[in-house]
């Protein structure tokens, strides 16, 4: 008796019309919004934070005198 009730429920749900959920409706919009915020924040950090981009140590490191 219980199995037949489960079968009826499954059949009813299988024939139900598909309804879009939140991700179907707004997924791409949320993704694009997140990408825009990510780009804006890192763009600000790279341009305004005063990071010195000379990553090469050449000319900054001087050798120490040997102690013998």
């Amino acid at each position: 008796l219980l199995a037949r009730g489960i079968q009826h429920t499954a059949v009813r749900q299988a024939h139900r019309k598909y309804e879009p959920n939140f991700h179907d409706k707004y997924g791409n919009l949320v993704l694009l919004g997140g990408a825009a915020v990510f780009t804006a924040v890192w763009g600000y950090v790279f341009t305004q934070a005063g990071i010195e981009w000379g990553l090469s140590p050449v000319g900054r490191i001087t050798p120490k005198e040997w102690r013998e």
Side-chain angles (χ1 to χ4, degrees):
L1 191 65
L2 179 62
R4 188 170 289 283
I6 293 171
Q7 285 176 344
H8 283 286
T9 303
V11 169
R12 274 199 311 267
Q13 288 178 353
H15 291 292
R16 200 172 69 187
K17 186 176 177 182
Y18 177 74
E19 297 173 5
N21 61 15
F22 178 84
H23 298 290
D24 294 330
K25 290 181 181 178
Y26 306 110
N28 290 334
L29 187 63
V30 170
L31 181 67
L32 291 175
V37 170
F38 177 86
T39 303
V41 168
W42 281 109
Y44 176 81
V45 168
F46 286 147
T47 58
Q48 303 295 320
I51 298 173
E52 189 174 322
W53 292 105
L55 300 177
S56 174
V58 175
R60 295 186 198 171
I61 300 174
T62 55
K64 293 183 179 180
E65 294 295 327
W66 285 98
R67 293 186 191 173
E68 293 188 38

